[in-house]
Amino acid sequence: MSQESSAIDCFNMKTDYQRTFRLDARSPQKVLYVQGTTLKANLRRSAPPNSMFFSVKCTPNVQYTIDPPTQMTSHLSPITLDGKSMLLITMSSASQHENDSKLTVRYYGQNKEVLSNAILHLTALEISLDVDADRDGVVEKNNPNKGSWKWGPDGHGAVLLVNCDSERRYAKQLDTEVDYIAKLSDLRDMSEMVLRTRGPAKLPDGYKLTMHISQSDAESIRVYSPRPQSHSNFLSGVSSGFTTVLTRRVLSGQVPYLGGVAETSFYVEGLRFPDKDFDGLITINLSLLEPICRGLPETPIFTDTVVFRVAPWIMTPNTLRPVEVFVCSTSDNYVFLKGMKNLVLKSGYKLNICHEYMNRGDRWMQDELEFGYIEAPHQRFPVVLDSPRDGKLLDFPYGELLGPDFGYVTRMALRKDVSSLDSFGNLEVSPPVTVNGKEYPLGRIIIGVAFPTTTKGRNMTKVVQDFLWAQKVQEPIALFSDWLVVGHVDEFMTFVPAPDRKGFRLLLASPDAGYKLFRGLKNNGHGQAKLFEGRNDQKPITVDEILEDEGFQAENNYVQSCIDWNRDVLKRELGLDDGDIIDLPILFKLEQDTDYEFRAVAFYPDMVNMIVLGKSLGIPKPFGPKVNGRCALEAEMCSLMEGLGLTCTFIDDFASYHRLLGEVHCGSNVRREGFDFKWWDLDM
C-alpha cells in the first residue's frame, strides 16, 4: 500500500473525530494535527474586539471549510463574521517535517481594516492502534470496527486468549502467573497489537504517546512490547528483550514514537476467563498528550481505541474425533485396564495411564477434570478444567497435563460448599443442535442439580456454574440428578454419533426398557436365567425374582419418573424428538445415604456410562441373564447400537468400579479435537 492510499484510509476512518481548539490572534500557534480528525475552532470566540470580517488562507496540505457555509467563492476576501462561524480544518497527508504547513485567519474591522492575524503552524501526524479486528489471523490497517465487538460471521472485534499454558516445562507455572516472556513461543498465546505512525522524525517538545486501560480491565490483561535490540539484551535472554507496558499495577505507560513511517508491535496477554464479574470484553486506549505548561498535567488531544473479547473455554462432545484417552492404574483394576487397552488400541487412539504414584488410589479420572480448548484466529490449544472435587487425583491436571500449548483452569470453592455434584461426571455437553430456529453449533453444556422444589438437595457449586454460564457459547442446561447417590448426569445419559437425523442419538437409562426386556425373557421361557451368574462377589438373581419383587418395581418406577423429567427437559432444550432418543435397559435400586435420604444406584453395571471413541463404544459389561449362551443385555445393546454403525466392546468394571458406584465413563476421560466452527461466528 502506498503512503498516500494509507493516509486516505486513515482519513476515512477518523473523520467523525473532532477536536475543539482555540485560535490565538495575539501570537502564532504550533498545532499538532492527527490525520483523519478535524480541528474545530469558533471564529468569533478568538476574534479581537470590533472584528466584523475575516479571511482564510493556507498551504496546499491543509484543507478547511467554514460552517455555516458562506456565499463567497474565495475566502481570501473578507467574509462577514457572526457568532456561529466555525472553522473546520483537516490535512491530507502526514508531515515530513515539524511545522511544515500553515493556516492564517485574518480579522478585519468595520471598514475592513486588518486588526490581527491568527497564525497556525501545523504538523500532521498519522497514528493508528491496530488489531486483528476482522479475525483472519493478520493485524490489518485502520479497520473502522476495531473499537467495538460484534458476534456473527459478519461480525468484528479482536480475540484474546487466556495465556493459561506453561512454556516453562521444568518449572511448572501458569504463564499468567509470571510477568515476563521466557520463550518466544509464548508470543503465540498472545494477541498482537500494532502501533502504526507516520510523521516527522520526532514529536514536538512535550508531546507524548501513552497506552492506558481501566482499573477493571487491568485485572484481565498484560501488554508487552519489544525493547530496542542490543547486544546485551540478546545475550541475557528472551525475557530481557521485552518490557511490560501495562499490568495490574500499571494502568498507563508511555510508548515510543519512532518517527518517519514506523510500526511497533505489542503483545496482549489474557489473564482470566469470562466469569460472573467479567464479561470478557477488554478496551485498550492509545492517547496523544499535549503539554499545556510546565508543572501542569498534559491533556489528551486524540485517543484511538481497540476492543478484545477473551476467548471462552469450550467443551467437546462425544461426536468429535478423539485424540487421546486417559485412565488410572490401581492395585485392583487390572481387568478393567486390560479391557480399556484393547479397546483404545483397536480404535487407533493414544492411551495415557496415570499410575498410582500420581493417582494415589483415586481411579475416577472423569470426575477430576474436563477437557476443552480455547481458540483465537491465530492459535488454538487444549485447556483442562480442574474440578473443585480435589480428590487424590488433584495434582494430575496441573502436574501432568499443564505444559506448552496445554492450558489449565480451575475454580476454587470452600470445602463446605463442594458436593459429589461438583465432580465432572456431572458435566457433559451435547453435540450441535438447533432449537426452535436457534442454532447452537457448539452444543450445550449439561449439568446436574437438585430438584427445583427441594430445599436441602445438593447442587453444583456456584463458582463452577457461574464460570460455565459466563462462557456464553454453550448455554448450559440444568438437569435433575440429585436423585442419584453419586448424583452425576453421566449415570443416566450420554450421546453417541449417528449417520442420520441430527447426527447423534441421546441414550437414556430406562427401567421401563429393562422391565420390558425381562418380561420378554420370562414369556419366552427364560425366567430362571440369572443375572451375575458366575460372579463370586455378587449373589445371582433370576429374571423371575426381579419381576416378582414389587418393592423393587416401585423403586424403578420412581427412577423412571426422575429420568422422564430430564427426558422432557432435554427434548425441549435440545430440540429433540422421540426418534432422537434410545432407551437402554438399565435397572436401579434405592439406598439410604449418609443424609438418610433414599437415592438411586445402578443395580447392574450401568451401560449408559460408556466411553465413546468414534464408532467404537466401551460399555460396562452388565452380567445379565444368558440366553443361548449370550448375555441378553449385551445382545440388546448391540442390536440398538449396531443399527447406527457403532461397535460395542464390553469391559468388565464390576469389581473395581461398579461396586464403588462408578463405571467405564467415570474411570476414563477423552481429549478430543475442537470444532471446525469458530465460536466468534455465533449469532448472539
Side-chain angles (χ1 to χ4, degrees):
M1 180 181 289
S2 68
Q3 291 186 18
E4 180 179 358
S5 63
S6 177
I8 293 172
D9 286 347
C10 185
F11 177 81
N12 289 338
M13 180 184 70
K14 301 183 184 115
T15 50
D16 59 343
Y17 189 105
Q18 292 191 346
R19 169 191 164 201
T20 298
F21 79 105
R22 299 187 303 274
L23 290 168
D24 191 339
R26 296 169 299 174
S27 61
Q29 296 172 267
K30 294 180 179 180
V31 176
L32 189 58
Y33 167 83
V34 179
Q35 196 167 349
T37 66
T38 300
L39 296 175
K40 183 177 182 180
N42 186 306
L43 289 165
R44 169 63 72 179
R45 179 181 178 186
S46 305
N50 303 317
S51 296
M52 302 297 293
F53 304 95
F54 72 95
S55 64
V56 183
K57 66 177 181 178
C58 61
T59 54
N61 191 36
V62 181
Q63 295 82 42
Y64 70 90
T65 58
I66 297 170
D67 185 35
T70 70
Q71 300 298 319
M72 304 293 292
T73 58
S74 172
H75 296 160
L76 297 177
S77 301
I79 303 167
T80 301
L81 179 67
D82 65 36
K84 297 180 180 179
S85 296
M86 305 295 295
L87 179 65
L88 306 177
I89 301 171
T90 60
M91 298 180 69
S92 58
S93 61
S95 298
Q96 294 185 359
H97 306 286
E98 188 176 344
N99 302 320
D100 62 0
S101 297
K102 183 179 178 181
L103 180 141
T104 301
V105 178
R106 179 165 292 177
Y107 289 101
Y108 304 87
Q110 177 71 37
N111 298 316
K112 298 187 179 179
E113 71 277 17
V114 175
L115 299 179
S116 65
N117 293 315
I119 300 172
L120 299 181
H121 295 286
L122 294 158
T123 304
L125 180 68
E126 181 181 334
I127 305 172
S128 181
L129 187 62
D130 292 323
V131 292
D132 177 20
D134 61 3
R135 306 165 186 163
D136 65 354
V138 178
V139 177
E140 66 274 9
K141 213 168 196 177
N142 301 321
N143 190 312
N145 297 313
K146 64 186 179 182
S148 61
W149 174 273
K150 180 183 176 183
W151 293 88
D154 61 343
H156 56 258
V159 175
L160 183 64
L161 296 176
V162 177
N163 193 13
C164 59
D165 66 341
S166 177
E167 300 297 330
R168 289 154 287 276
R169 185 182 294 273
Y170 300 109
K172 190 79 71 165
Q173 195 173 22
L174 286 170
D175 289 340
T176 55
E177 296 174 350
V178 295
D179 59 357
Y180 61 87
I181 297 173
K183 292 186 177 182
L184 290 177
S185 58
D186 201 22
L187 299 179
R188 290 271 310 159
D189 303 334
M190 304 181 191
S191 292
E192 187 179 11
M193 181 171 62
V194 179
L195 170 60
R196 294 183 169 103
T197 57
R198 178 181 281 107
K202 65 182 184 65
L203 293 176
D205 290 344
Y207 285 85
K208 61 184 179 183
L209 290 171
T210 64
M211 190 175 292
H212 52 101
I213 52 177
S214 68
Q215 180 67 64
S216 59
D217 284 351
E219 298 298 318
S220 305
I221 62 166
R222 268 193 297 261
V223 178
Y224 296 91
S225 69
R227 286 193 176 100
Q229 292 301 308
S230 69
H231 183 66
S232 61
N233 282 342
F234 178 75
L235 291 177
S236 59
V238 174
S239 62
S240 65
F242 295 85
T243 184
T244 51
V245 180
L246 302 175
T247 69
R248 286 187 172 102
R249 294 173 297 279
V250 180
L251 307 185
S252 178
Q254 186 172 348
V255 298
Y257 171 79
L258 301 180
V261 179
E263 293 188 358
T264 303
S265 289
F266 297 86
Y267 296 92
V268 186
E269 177 183 37
L271 301 182
R272 60 172 179 157
F273 283 92
D275 214 324
K276 182 182 179 182
D277 60 345
F278 174 46
D279 65 3
L281 290 174
I282 298 290
T283 299
I284 301 177
N285 305 288
L286 181 86
S287 291
L288 177 63
L289 302 185
E290 179 181 56
I292 301 299
C293 179
R294 184 181 297 276
L296 296 179
E298 303 97 342
T299 58
I301 60 173
F302 170 78
T303 298
D304 206 7
T305 298
V306 297
V307 170
F308 290 90
R309 180 177 286 279
V310 176
W313 179 76
I314 301 173
M315 286 182 64
T316 52
N318 287 348
T319 49
L320 290 178
R321 183 182 181 276
V323 176
E324 52 187 340
V325 179
F326 294 81
V327 294
C328 289
S329 173
T330 63
S331 60
D332 62 349
N333 77 339
Y334 171 78
V335 174
F336 166 82
L337 203 57
K338 180 179 179 181
M340 288 295 297
K341 286 179 179 178
N342 291 336
L343 171 68
V344 176
L345 179 64
K346 180 175 63 177
S347 302
Y349 303 111
K350 179 182 178 182
L351 180 65
N352 297 279
I353 298 176
C354 176
H355 294 283
E356 282 192 275
Y357 75 88
M358 175 58 68
N359 68 53
R360 297 176 294 178
D362 186 351
R363 68 200 67 212
W364 308 113
M365 181 62 76
Q366 181 67 222
D367 288 340
E368 185 60 39
L369 57 95
E370 188 69 55
F371 288 109
Y373 70 96
I374 59 176
E375 182 174 22
H378 66 281
Q379 173 72 310
R380 171 196 279 191
F381 59 81
V383 176
V384 60
L385 176 62
D386 191 1
S387 165
R389 157 188 188 263
D390 286 347
K392 293 182 179 179
L393 263 171
L394 66 91
D395 293 333
F396 178 73
Y398 192 93
E400 296 296 314
L401 297 178
L402 174 64
D405 290 337
F406 206 122
Y408 171 93
V409 62
T410 190
R411 284 296 176 267
M412 305 299 294
L414 297 175
R415 292 308 304 166
K416 68 180 181 64
D417 296 331
V418 177
S419 72
S420 174
L421 272 67
D422 291 301
S423 296
F424 284 165
N426 196 35
L427 174 60
E428 297 298 320
V429 65
S430 79
V433 292
T434 299
V435 185
N436 296 324
K438 182 176 181 180
E439 295 183 356
Y440 296 90
L442 302 175
R444 299 188 66 179
I445 285 172
I446 297 170
I447 63 171
V449 298
F451 196 72
T453 60
T454 189
T455 58
K456 60 178 181 178
R458 301 165 298 171
N459 277 294
M460 179 177 283
T461 190
K462 188 174 186 298
V463 292
V464 176
Q465 291 200 52
D466 287 344
F467 173 82
L468 296 173
W469 274 99
Q471 306 315 302
K472 287 184 177 290
V473 297
Q474 296 177 304
E475 184 181 329
I477 301 167
L479 299 182
F480 170 39
S481 66
D482 192 37
W483 57 273
L484 290 151
V485 170
V486 177
H488 297 175
V489 293
D490 70 351
E491 297 177 75
F492 63 86
M493 60 158 291
T494 193
F495 298 94
V496 295
D500 56 2
R501 296 183 69 87
K502 295 177 174 64
F504 68 90
R505 293 289 191 278
L506 167 64
L507 307 186
L508 287 178
S510 172
D512 282 354
Y515 272 95
K516 181 179 179 180
L517 175 66
F518 291 144
R519 291 189 186 105
L521 293 178
K522 178 180 176 64
N523 292 341
N524 291 324
H526 302 292
Q528 290 302 303
K530 296 178 180 179
L531 287 79
F532 315 125
E533 189 171 23
R535 294 208 62 90
N536 297 325
D537 52 359
Q538 181 70 37
K539 181 181 178 181
I541 184 172
T542 66
V543 170
D544 284 343
E545 288 172 325
I546 289 175
L547 295 176
E548 290 166 1
D549 189 333
E550 293 182 358
F552 189 57
Q553 171 81 69
E555 292 177 8
N556 276 279
N557 288 342
Y558 164 73
V559 168
Q560 185 66 61
S561 70
C562 295
I563 294 174
D564 284 345
W565 168 276
N566 291 309
R567 181 192 188 98
D568 291 339
V569 173
L570 288 165
K571 287 174 66 176
R572 181 172 63 251
E573 297 295 334
L574 297 180
L576 304 182
D577 301 318
D578 286 328
D580 300 313
I581 302 172
I582 296 176
D583 294 312
L584 304 185
I586 300 166
L587 301 185
F588 292 79
K589 60 181 178 179
L590 297 187
E591 294 185 349
Q592 198 171 38
D593 63 13
T594 54
D595 296 325
Y596 303 101
E597 296 284 339
F598 283 98
R599 291 187 168 98
V601 298
F603 179 59
Y604 45 79
D606 187 353
M607 295 184 292
V608 79
N609 193 270
M610 64 178 69
I611 183 173
V612 181
L613 300 177
K615 294 186 177 182
S616 297
L617 308 180
I619 302 170
K621 186 175 179 63
F623 293 95
K626 291 184 178 179
V627 176
N628 300 323
R630 187 182 184 190
C631 172
L633 290 170
E634 289 187 19
E636 178 68 8
M637 192 71 190
C638 289
S639 174
L640 294 171
M641 296 298 101
E642 288 171 358
L644 301 175
L646 305 175
T647 60
C648 301
T649 298
F650 293 93
I651 297 172
D652 183 355
D653 71 351
F654 198 99
S656 54
Y657 289 86
H658 172 70
R659 291 180 67 84
L660 300 176
L661 308 185
E663 309 287 359
V664 170
H665 187 259
C666 306
S668 61
N669 218 315
V670 183
R671 182 170 74 86
R672 302 178 186 274
E673 291 183 349
F675 288 94
D676 292 333
F677 183 87
K678 306 303 181 185
W679 62 266
W680 51 84
D681 285 338
L682 274 168
D683 285 316
M684 299 289 281

